[in-house]
């Protein structure tokens, strides 16, 4: 992507568990938080190259796997609604995360 004239888009599916520790999901929460931090750093480092990142935090999506885990699912959404939100996130123009050149030149 760095060699393309227009950069590109990297989409990362994260989780609400990456924003806070979820009981009975400690290792999963930690892994998602680490991935979020890595994407945040890459977002800043690669913005000058035209590489954009979209992080998707879908919440609880009504799938067979999610339904079978026995955990509470506040604000669960259908797969169709989740897909609409993901497509919207891909199409939405974003501004760079920092003023031009802020950290990229270091």
């Amino acid at each position: 992507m760095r060699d393309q004239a227009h950069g590109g888009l990297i989409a990362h599916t994260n989780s609400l568990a990456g924003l806070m520790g979820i009981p009975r999901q400690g290792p999963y929460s930690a892994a998602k938080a680490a991935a979020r931090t890595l994407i945040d750093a890459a977002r800043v480092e690669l913005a000058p190259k035209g590489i954009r990142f979209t992080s998707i935090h879908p919440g609880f999506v009504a799938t067979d796997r999610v339904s079978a885990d026995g955990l509470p699912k506040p604000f669960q959404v259908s797969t169709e609604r989740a897909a609409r939100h993901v497509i919207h996130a891909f199409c939405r123009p974003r501004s760079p995360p920092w003023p031009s050149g802020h950290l990229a030149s270091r």
Side-chain angles (χ1 to χ4, degrees), residues 20-34:
M20 65 184 77
I22 304 294
R24 298 175 35 200
Q25 298 290 316
Y28 179 77
S29 294
K32 290 297 188 174

Side-chain angles (χ1 to χ4, degrees), residues 2-106:
R2 292 186 318 182
D3 297 330
Q4 294 180 1
H6 301 292
L9 172 66
I10 296 174
H12 172 248
T13 304
N14 204 304
S15 170
L16 296 177
L19 303 173
M20 65 184 77
I22 304 294
R24 298 175 35 200
Q25 298 290 316
Y28 179 77
S29 294
K32 290 297 188 174
R36 181 179 51 85
T37 303
L38 179 63
I39 293 297
D40 287 347
R43 181 178 284 119
V44 174
E45 292 171 12
L46 297 174
K49 307 256 189 237
I51 300 173
R52 299 177 302 120
F53 291 81
T54 296
S55 294
I56 308 296
H57 295 78
F60 295 103
V61 179
T63 64
D64 290 342
R65 188 191 70 77
V66 168
S67 297
D69 69 11
L71 298 173
K73 290 151 195 73
F75 310 111
Q76 182 170 305
V77 298
S78 69
T79 54
E80 293 81 11
R81 185 170 182 191
R84 284 194 305 272
H85 286 292
V86 169
I87 291 167
H88 176 74
F90 289 166
C91 297
R92 184 174 165 205
R94 302 277 182 169
S95 58
W98 302 101
S100 181
H102 177 68
L103 292 176
S105 63
R106 294 185 181 187

